[in-house]
Amino acid sequence: MISINSEEQVFHLQTLNSSYILKVSDAGHLLNLYYGPRLEHRETLSHLNHTARVKLGSTTAYSSADERYCLETQKLEVGTTGKGDYREPSLHITYCDDGSSTSDFIFDRFELSGDRPDLPGLPHSHSPSEDDLSLTIVLREKLKPVELHLHYTCFVHTDTICRSMTIINRGSEPVVLNKACSASVDLPEAGFEAMHLSGKWIAEGQQQRHSLNKGVFSIGSSRGVSSSSHNPFMALVSPDCTEDYGCCYGFALVYSGNYKITTEVSSYDQTRIMLGVSDLDFAWPLSGGMQFNCPEVLMTFSHGGLNLMSQHFHAHIRQHIIDREWQDKPRPVQANNWEATYFNFDESKLMSLARKAQSLGVELFVLDDGWFANRNDETSGLGNYNEDRKKLPRGLAGISRKIRQLGLQFGLWVEPEMVSVNSDLYEKHPDWAVTSPGREASPGRHQLVLDMSNPSVVDYLYEQLFDTFRRAQVSYVKWDHNRNLSDVYSNHLTAEKQAGFYHRYVLGLYDLLFRLKEAFPGILFENCSSGGNRFDLGMTFFMPQTWISDNTDAHERTKIQQGFSLLYPPCCMSAHVSGHPSHQVLRHTPIESRFNVSCFGLLGYQLDLTTLTTYEEKVIRQQVGFYKKHRALLQQGVFYRLLLPASNQRAWIIMRKDKSEAIVGFFQGLQVSNPTLKTIRLPMLKPDVIYSINSREQYQNIRQYGHLVNKELPVSIKDRGILHGIIANHYLLPVNAESYTMHGDQLQHMGIPIKSQFTGTEITEYVSHFGDFGSRLYHIRCLDC
Ligand code: GLA
């Protein structure tokens, strides 16, 4: 809902639970009067304009007409330089006619519409629903013929406001954009804490939280991809904000390249936050008549803690970012051959894996890296699209047919934006690789990046991929990008356009993806960049799921998935059960825990299924059955992070919107000695109904108990002896089942009463054997809803 008082020039944007109020100042600047809990709309809101109206010693007044009006203390929607706002600007332009860079944008007009703003070439939130409106406020530079179109779309039901900005050069002289943020918000107070997700390869999405003190703090990427160093997301939270309590503002950028999110706590205790394409190595010449579109930003406010902020984002991403085709469609359970074989496979090995996968209930078989010519390790072959005929004598078409005959879908890995020096493509088009003239290119995973700013490269890739996807009859594509950019330069661009290379690269990529999505609307794309090195909402627009980390260790995954859940819903995150020990951290975790963590994402298996013990096979078959039975809930439910007193434990719940059914996951790190009794409180359930709570049927390997098995068995067996091995491979030791019937209010305030943990004294029905990295799933169902 957007209400406008034209006389007072006030714009009131309302979502279900938030209000965002703008006003044009007497001098013509666009001010932010309020962002926070929803306010009733009233005819007059101008009096909310609460800014300093005193002369301030050393500062600069905007004009001599009013010495009490200083831009430095105003809450501005666009921050520029030259007129007394000394904070970090959100927009910086050099006017080429005279070399000046003072900008002063004032209100010109506004437009209201039921459609979303046009952001050609960029991913964006899909068209709003009937209740949602878009407002474009046009500001014009006081002296130069440049216009800013500030777009706001109010998504009422997801409590999200989308912003972006278009800069139009209406004159004939060129201008250069040195910085162009999509959105800037000035909040009236200081004292916020910043929350964001930092990381690195195999340790993505690690939550950070710290106070913002006076001065500038920024995160971003200079790697050419949004990167795992910092996800393009930040929340400003009140210091008392917890998962379920307190105020927070969430911001996320729908973009996949270099970006920057900057906060500044000003001398006057206001907090500014800006998001946009990075200004590092960026200068964009805008000739007369041309426009520049800034990528979209999502903003949401929550007065119910971090969980509510995440739920707004999750709902928005599911309903408005993810491709409509995949919004509600069940995502298939996959088996991927990477950690099972790496490059070392042939058709017969793949078929054995696929047959076993099929017998376990898997639905999609994914052929990962190594299927094309000259690709037996990382050093060569990228750029080739012809199959390695030694590994696949009947080519992609042949293996795909055989896999589909098993009743499985066929999926394929590609890494289109890269080229190996040792490849036909590089030999033919060395000028298509990103390298800086006269310098030796710095390698990354032995490969170079293709110049996506060059339309000939994009056209070539489109043709190759079109042919490959057709030939292989793929239902699914894993799109990888395994190195950061370096030696950035394009042989295709003129000198003045080089400083826009990073952004032009992203536009080239988006162009390719728009075309492929149109040609293959039914293909499920999975985004990957050595795991989560390009996990962002730009890629999520094209690819509804992401391989968020190469780290498949169950314990590490609880941190990574929990971190990313601040912004992304479980249905965006692929999560696979892999072998043991973990290939990334050499840790042994129970196979049931590997599943329990993975099922809070999109389930897959990435281990050599042909070497499973009978025990493992049975367990996996049961896991896949459980996942499929509860798939709608696990992939589409409302997700919460649960509060637990112990730091070595994590718990999550995913619940139907109507609260009639839920699954709780409880994950333990290292076992502590003689632990105190725990409950898991579920404040989100309905208080006045009855729920049944049943632990998922889980099994464990008796190997875990060594010679302690003799305490329980009637016969004595030797630890690690032949008999022990045979029993361990065939016998499933059931975990003590837990089953309760409780009223909703009891679960809200007391919680699920988890059984005592093993303390070395006895193994009885009252004891639960968690051990290191143990976990449980509880299925909760309302009995009288
Ligand atoms: C990246 C991906 C992996 C795998 C390999 C193949 O590292 O993240 O999942 O696909 O590439 O080379």
Side-chain angles (χ1 to χ4, degrees), residues 290-306:
M290 300 303 282
Q291 69 178 55
F292 181 85
N293 299 307
C294 303
E296 187 178 84
V297 163
L298 269 48
M299 318 193 297
T300 190
F301 169 77
S302 152
H303 57 277
L306 295 167

PDB file of all heavy atoms in Angstrom, residues 290-306:
ATOM      1  N   MET A 290      21.726   8.125 -22.455  1.00  0.00           N
ATOM      2  CA  MET A 290      21.898   6.772 -21.912  1.00  0.00           C
ATOM      3  C   MET A 290      21.460   6.719 -20.443  1.00  0.00           C
ATOM      4  O   MET A 290      21.407   7.739 -19.762  1.00  0.00           O
ATOM      5  CB  MET A 290      23.360   6.331 -22.010  1.00  0.00           C
ATOM      6  CG  MET A 290      23.903   6.294 -23.414  1.00  0.00           C
ATOM      7  SD  MET A 290      22.934   5.236 -24.499  1.00  0.00           S
ATOM      8  CE  MET A 290      23.521   3.628 -23.988  1.00  0.00           C
ATOM      9  N   GLN A 291      21.189   5.505 -19.994  1.00  0.00           N
ATOM     10  CA  GLN A 291      20.817   5.328 -18.591  1.00  0.00           C
ATOM     11  C   GLN A 291      21.584   4.186 -17.951  1.00  0.00           C
ATOM     12  O   GLN A 291      22.074   3.291 -18.647  1.00  0.00           O
ATOM     13  CB  GLN A 291      19.314   5.101 -18.446  1.00  0.00           C
ATOM     14  CG  GLN A 291      18.815   3.776 -18.994  1.00  0.00           C
ATOM     15  CD  GLN A 291      17.303   3.628 -18.759  1.00  0.00           C
ATOM     16  OE1 GLN A 291      16.527   4.495 -19.160  1.00  0.00           O
ATOM     17  NE2 GLN A 291      16.913   2.545 -18.113  1.00  0.00           N
ATOM     18  N   PHE A 292      21.685   4.234 -16.638  1.00  0.00           N
ATOM     19  CA  PHE A 292      22.348   3.167 -15.886  1.00  0.00           C
ATOM     20  C   PHE A 292      21.365   2.668 -14.841  1.00  0.00           C
ATOM     21  O   PHE A 292      20.798   3.453 -14.075  1.00  0.00           O
ATOM     22  CB  PHE A 292      23.608   3.706 -15.195  1.00  0.00           C
ATOM     23  CG  PHE A 292      24.349   2.655 -14.411  1.00  0.00           C
ATOM     24  CD1 PHE A 292      25.266   1.820 -15.037  1.00  0.00           C
ATOM     25  CD2 PHE A 292      24.117   2.499 -13.038  1.00  0.00           C
ATOM     26  CE1 PHE A 292      25.949   0.846 -14.311  1.00  0.00           C
ATOM     27  CE2 PHE A 292      24.803   1.520 -12.308  1.00  0.00           C
ATOM     28  CZ  PHE A 292      25.714   0.696 -12.954  1.00  0.00           C
ATOM     29  N   ASN A 293      21.167   1.352 -14.840  1.00  0.00           N
ATOM     30  CA  ASN A 293      20.249   0.760 -13.859  1.00  0.00           C
ATOM     31  C   ASN A 293      21.038   0.129 -12.725  1.00  0.00           C
ATOM     32  O   ASN A 293      21.900  -0.719 -12.966  1.00  0.00           O
ATOM     33  CB  ASN A 293      19.408  -0.336 -14.509  1.00  0.00           C
ATOM     34  CG  ASN A 293      18.560   0.219 -15.629  1.00  0.00           C
ATOM     35  OD1 ASN A 293      17.823   1.173 -15.433  1.00  0.00           O
ATOM     36  ND2 ASN A 293      18.706  -0.350 -16.817  1.00  0.00           N
ATOM     37  N   CYS A 294      20.732   0.528 -11.516  1.00  0.00           N
ATOM     38  CA  CYS A 294      21.388  -0.091 -10.359  1.00  0.00           C
ATOM     39  C   CYS A 294      20.599  -1.338  -9.980  1.00  0.00           C
ATOM     40  O   CYS A 294      19.371  -1.354 -10.077  1.00  0.00           O
ATOM     41  CB  CYS A 294      21.375   0.851  -9.165  1.00  0.00           C
ATOM     42  SG  CYS A 294      22.154   2.422  -9.488  1.00  0.00           S
ATOM     43  N   PRO A 295      21.295  -2.376  -9.523  1.00  0.00           N
ATOM     44  CA  PRO A 295      20.579  -3.590  -9.128  1.00  0.00           C
ATOM     45  C   PRO A 295      19.635  -3.356  -7.955  1.00  0.00           C
ATOM     46  O   PRO A 295      19.760  -2.369  -7.226  1.00  0.00           O
ATOM     47  CB  PRO A 295      21.698  -4.555  -8.736  1.00  0.00           C
ATOM     48  CG  PRO A 295      22.943  -3.776  -8.687  1.00  0.00           C
ATOM     49  CD  PRO A 295      22.747  -2.489  -9.393  1.00  0.00           C
ATOM     50  N   GLU A 296      18.718  -4.302  -7.819  1.00  0.00           N
ATOM     51  CA  GLU A 296      17.670  -4.165  -6.796  1.00  0.00           C
ATOM     52  C   GLU A 296      18.197  -4.474  -5.390  1.00  0.00           C
ATOM     53  O   GLU A 296      19.087  -5.308  -5.225  1.00  0.00           O
ATOM     54  CB  GLU A 296      16.559  -5.153  -7.153  1.00  0.00           C
ATOM     55  CG  GLU A 296      15.323  -5.055  -6.312  1.00  0.00           C
ATOM     56  CD  GLU A 296      14.259  -6.057  -6.782  1.00  0.00           C
ATOM     57  OE1 GLU A 296      14.324  -7.222  -6.363  1.00  0.00           O
ATOM     58  OE2 GLU A 296      13.381  -5.657  -7.556  1.00  0.00           O
ATOM     59  N   VAL A 297      17.599  -3.796  -4.424  1.00  0.00           N
ATOM     60  CA  VAL A 297      17.880  -4.069  -3.005  1.00  0.00           C
ATOM     61  C   VAL A 297      16.580  -4.474  -2.316  1.00  0.00           C
ATOM     62  O   VAL A 297      15.534  -3.892  -2.580  1.00  0.00           O
ATOM     63  CB  VAL A 297      18.442  -2.798  -2.325  1.00  0.00           C
ATOM     64  CG1 VAL A 297      18.360  -2.888  -0.813  1.00  0.00           C
ATOM     65  CG2 VAL A 297      19.876  -2.563  -2.745  1.00  0.00           C
ATOM     66  N   LEU A 298      16.644  -5.463  -1.437  1.00  0.00           N
ATOM     67  CA  LEU A 298      15.491  -5.851  -0.621  1.00  0.00           C
ATOM     68  C   LEU A 298      15.700  -5.285   0.774  1.00  0.00           C
ATOM     69  O   LEU A 298      16.792  -5.420   1.333  1.00  0.00           O
ATOM     70  CB  LEU A 298      15.440  -7.374  -0.483  1.00  0.00           C
ATOM     71  CG  LEU A 298      14.655  -8.222  -1.473  1.00  0.00           C
ATOM     72  CD1 LEU A 298      14.938  -7.853  -2.902  1.00  0.00           C
ATOM     73  CD2 LEU A 298      14.929  -9.709  -1.248  1.00  0.00           C
ATOM     74  N   MET A 299      14.647  -4.669   1.313  1.00  0.00           N
ATOM     75  CA  MET A 299      14.750  -4.151   2.688  1.00  0.00           C
ATOM     76  C   MET A 299      13.564  -4.688   3.482  1.00  0.00           C
ATOM     77  O   MET A 299      12.442  -4.715   2.969  1.00  0.00           O
ATOM     78  CB  MET A 299      14.615  -2.633   2.739  1.00  0.00           C
ATOM     79  CG  MET A 299      15.329  -1.853   1.667  1.00  0.00           C
ATOM     80  SD  MET A 299      15.390  -0.096   2.089  1.00  0.00           S
ATOM     81  CE  MET A 299      13.663   0.343   2.119  1.00  0.00           C
ATOM     82  N   THR A 300      13.810  -5.081   4.702  1.00  0.00           N
ATOM     83  CA  THR A 300      12.692  -5.492   5.544  1.00  0.00           C
ATOM     84  C   THR A 300      12.950  -5.066   6.982  1.00  0.00           C
ATOM     85  O   THR A 300      14.097  -4.960   7.415  1.00  0.00           O
ATOM     86  CB  THR A 300      12.457  -7.012   5.458  1.00  0.00           C
ATOM     87  OG1 THR A 300      11.220  -7.304   6.115  1.00  0.00           O
ATOM     88  CG2 THR A 300      13.543  -7.841   6.111  1.00  0.00           C
ATOM     89  N   PHE A 301      11.868  -4.803   7.692  1.00  0.00           N
ATOM     90  CA  PHE A 301      11.987  -4.449   9.103  1.00  0.00           C
ATOM     91  C   PHE A 301      11.276  -5.517   9.926  1.00  0.00           C
ATOM     92  O   PHE A 301      10.204  -5.978   9.543  1.00  0.00           O
ATOM     93  CB  PHE A 301      11.346  -3.080   9.383  1.00  0.00           C
ATOM     94  CG  PHE A 301      11.217  -2.810  10.846  1.00  0.00           C
ATOM     95  CD1 PHE A 301      12.319  -2.420  11.593  1.00  0.00           C
ATOM     96  CD2 PHE A 301      10.005  -3.010  11.502  1.00  0.00           C
ATOM     97  CE1 PHE A 301      12.219  -2.216  12.957  1.00  0.00           C
ATOM     98  CE2 PHE A 301       9.895  -2.802  12.872  1.00  0.00           C
ATOM     99  CZ  PHE A 301      11.006  -2.402  13.603  1.00  0.00           C
ATOM    100  N   SER A 302      11.877  -5.895  11.055  1.00  0.00           N
ATOM    101  CA  SER A 302      11.219  -6.851  11.956  1.00  0.00           C
ATOM    102  C   SER A 302      11.243  -6.307  13.369  1.00  0.00           C
ATOM    103  O   SER A 302      12.274  -5.842  13.841  1.00  0.00           O
ATOM    104  CB  SER A 302      11.958  -8.194  11.907  1.00  0.00           C
ATOM    105  OG  SER A 302      11.808  -8.882  13.130  1.00  0.00           O
ATOM    106  N   HIS A 303      10.099  -6.378  14.040  1.00  0.00           N
ATOM    107  CA  HIS A 303      10.085  -6.023  15.465  1.00  0.00           C
ATOM    108  C   HIS A 303       9.952  -7.298  16.284  1.00  0.00           C
ATOM    109  O   HIS A 303       9.671  -7.250  17.468  1.00  0.00           O
ATOM    110  CB  HIS A 303       8.950  -5.051  15.776  1.00  0.00           C
ATOM    111  CG  HIS A 303       7.612  -5.587  15.398  1.00  0.00           C
ATOM    112  ND1 HIS A 303       7.145  -5.505  14.104  1.00  0.00           N
ATOM    113  CD2 HIS A 303       6.692  -6.248  16.106  1.00  0.00           C
ATOM    114  CE1 HIS A 303       5.964  -6.102  14.060  1.00  0.00           C
ATOM    115  NE2 HIS A 303       5.671  -6.564  15.255  1.00  0.00           N
ATOM    116  N   GLY A 304      10.162  -8.444  15.649  1.00  0.00           N
ATOM    117  CA  GLY A 304      10.056  -9.728  16.356  1.00  0.00           C
ATOM    118  C   GLY A 304      11.342 -10.515  16.276  1.00  0.00           C
ATOM    119  O   GLY A 304      11.322 -11.740  16.211  1.00  0.00           O
ATOM    120  N   GLY A 305      12.471  -9.826  16.266  1.00  0.00           N
ATOM    121  CA  GLY A 305      13.766 -10.507  16.291  1.00  0.00           C
ATOM    122  C   GLY A 305      14.235 -10.992  14.933  1.00  0.00           C
ATOM    123  O   GLY A 305      13.610 -10.730  13.895  1.00  0.00           O
ATOM    124  N   LEU A 306      15.341 -11.741  14.983  1.00  0.00           N
ATOM    125  CA  LEU A 306      16.004 -12.163  13.736  1.00  0.00           C
ATOM    126  C   LEU A 306      15.191 -13.199  12.971  1.00  0.00           C
ATOM    127  O   LEU A 306      15.185 -13.224  11.745  1.00  0.00           O
ATOM    128  CB  LEU A 306      17.377 -12.748  14.067  1.00  0.00           C
ATOM    129  CG  LEU A 306      18.357 -11.741  14.668  1.00  0.00           C
ATOM    130  CD1 LEU A 306      19.561 -12.472  15.247  1.00  0.00           C
ATOM    131  CD2 LEU A 306      18.804 -10.740  13.617  1.00  0.00           C
TER     132      LEU A 306
END
